[in-house]
Amino acid sequence: MTEPAPQQPKQSVIGEFRAFLLRGNVVDLAVAVVVGAASAAVVKSLVSDLLLPLIGAVIGTPNFSSLKFTIGESVFHYGNFIDAVVSFFLIVAAIFFLVVKPTEKLAAFTGDRPDPGPSEVEILAEIRDLLREDRGRSD
């Protein structure tokens, strides 16, 4: 007969919840969400309050939402789509130049580069060697 697995002491729901919250990934995720929300507000303000009016000064209209055409009874507000596309590209550009590039420069300056890990060639060579070892044992 097999012996039953040893029972673990039961934790209260509050204890389980606390253990869940104190795991590193949850705390990191919470911080990332808060920082992301704050950054989104700043970037959205940058785009809508500074960059789009600048584009409007050059092109003549900062808001394309009034552009539309109709076919029969249907109205197509293609100006809203143009606004969304312009905003998207400006937001991506702002994030790239204000977050990604400075972070890369900071990582290069401090030497905090992530370990690239083994290359594909090294992994394939290791697999080859393991297969050779396995074949040697089965003979």
Side-chain angles (χ1 to χ4, degrees):
M1 268 183 132
T2 61
E3 294 182 26
Q7 292 183 350
Q8 295 179 348
K10 287 190 174 185
Q11 285 186 338
S12 68
V13 174
I14 304 243
E16 289 179 22
F17 185 67
R18 185 179 58 179
F20 170 74
L21 284 180
L22 294 179
R23 289 194 304 188
N25 295 343
V26 175
V27 174
D28 290 344
L29 181 61
V31 169
V33 167
V34 170
V35 170
S39 299
V42 170
V43 170
K44 184 175 181 185
S45 176
L46 171 74
V47 169
S48 63
D49 298 334
L50 297 176
L51 297 179
L52 282 177
L54 187 64
I55 290 173
V58 172
I59 295 176
T61 176
N63 188 351
F64 302 106
S65 63
S66 62
L67 301 175
K68 62 183 177 183
F69 67 90
T70 58
I71 298 177
E73 297 292 319
S74 299
V75 179
F76 297 89
H77 296 276
Y78 69 93
N80 290 337
F81 177 72
I82 293 172
D83 275 345
V85 169
V86 169
S87 292
F88 171 78
F89 282 113
L90 290 175
I91 288 170
V92 169
I95 289 172
F96 180 74
F97 289 112
L98 298 177
V99 176
V100 174
K101 293 302 281 181
T103 304
E104 288 176 355
K105 286 190 185 253
L106 181 64
F109 179 73
T110 60
D112 292 342
R113 297 245 180 228
D115 182 23
S119 68
E120 289 180 20
V121 173
E122 292 170 330
I123 293 171
L124 289 172
E126 186 177 341
I127 291 171
R128 179 199 62 212
D129 295 341
L130 290 171
L131 288 172
R132 282 183 183 162
E133 287 178 20
D134 191 43
R135 256 190 265 139
R137 287 188 206 142
S138 63
D139 289 342

